[in-house]
């Protein structure tokens, strides 16, 4: 860069360029650090949600994903027990029994349908 010949103007231009460059570098670093802190906070929230949180004063405990999944699997096991014929205690067994009794009480007029047989 060519000097202007006026030392005061040259000094202001050099210092102004240095201040602008320093401000840009500090801004980029600040935004990077701020983004990293925000990401770390969000990551902490994710892990708190995944693993659950203990009870605190005024805040009830929150179960983690694995605990909730275990409870969901237990619930689905109970539902599946009711959907398939098994020991005679499921909802499916009761429906099959009611259908067999109804077929005996009200036979089909065409006679082509047989009462359902229990499946095991």
């Amino acid at each position: 860069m060519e000097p202007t010949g006026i030392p005061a103007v040259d000094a202001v231009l050099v210092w102004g360029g240095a201040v602008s460059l320093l401000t840009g570098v500090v801004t980029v670093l600040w935004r990077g650090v701020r983004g990293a802190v925000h990401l770390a906070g969000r990551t902490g929230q994710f892990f708190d949600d995944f693993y659950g949180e203990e009870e605190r004063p005024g805040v009830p405990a929150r179960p983690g994903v694995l605990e909730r999944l275990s409870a969901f699997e237990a619930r689905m096991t109970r539902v599946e027990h009711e959907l398939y014929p098994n020991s005679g205690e499921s909802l499916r067994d009761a429906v099959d029994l009611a259908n067999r009794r109804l077929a005996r009480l009200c036979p089909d007029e065409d006679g082509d349908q047989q009462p359902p047989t229990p499946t095991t």
Side-chain angles (χ1 to χ4, degrees), residues 20-44:
S20 296
L21 181 65
L22 185 63
T23 302
V25 168
V26 167
T27 301
V28 167
L29 289 176
W30 170 252
R31 290 181 66 93
V33 167
R34 189 178 68 167
V37 167
H38 179 69
L39 180 63
R42 299 286 295 196
T43 303

Side-chain angles (χ1 to χ4, degrees), residues 35-56:
V37 167
H38 179 69
L39 180 63
R42 299 286 295 196
T43 303
Q45 288 176 352
F46 170 78
F47 283 118
D48 287 344
D49 290 342
F50 189 80
Y51 291 111
E53 289 191 24
E54 297 293 325
E55 183 176 0
R56 301 187 311 262

Side-chain angles (χ1 to χ4, degrees), residues 14-94:
V14 168
W15 282 106
V19 167
S20 296
L21 181 65
L22 185 63
T23 302
V25 168
V26 167
T27 301
V28 167
L29 289 176
W30 170 252
R31 290 181 66 93
V33 167
R34 189 178 68 167
V37 167
H38 179 69
L39 180 63
R42 299 286 295 196
T43 303
Q45 288 176 352
F46 170 78
F47 283 118
D48 287 344
D49 290 342
F50 189 80
Y51 291 111
E53 289 191 24
E54 297 293 325
E55 183 176 0
R56 301 187 311 262
V59 179
R62 290 188 321 185
V65 171
L66 299 177
E67 186 178 343
R68 291 172 49 204
L69 184 60
S70 174
F72 179 74
E73 287 176 347
R75 184 175 172 192
M76 289 307 298
T77 301
R78 291 192 309 266
V79 169
E80 285 177 352
H81 174 78
E82 296 297 323
L83 293 179
Y84 300 102
N86 48 36
S87 61
E89 297 177 0
S90 69
L91 179 62
R92 175 63 185 262
D93 291 328

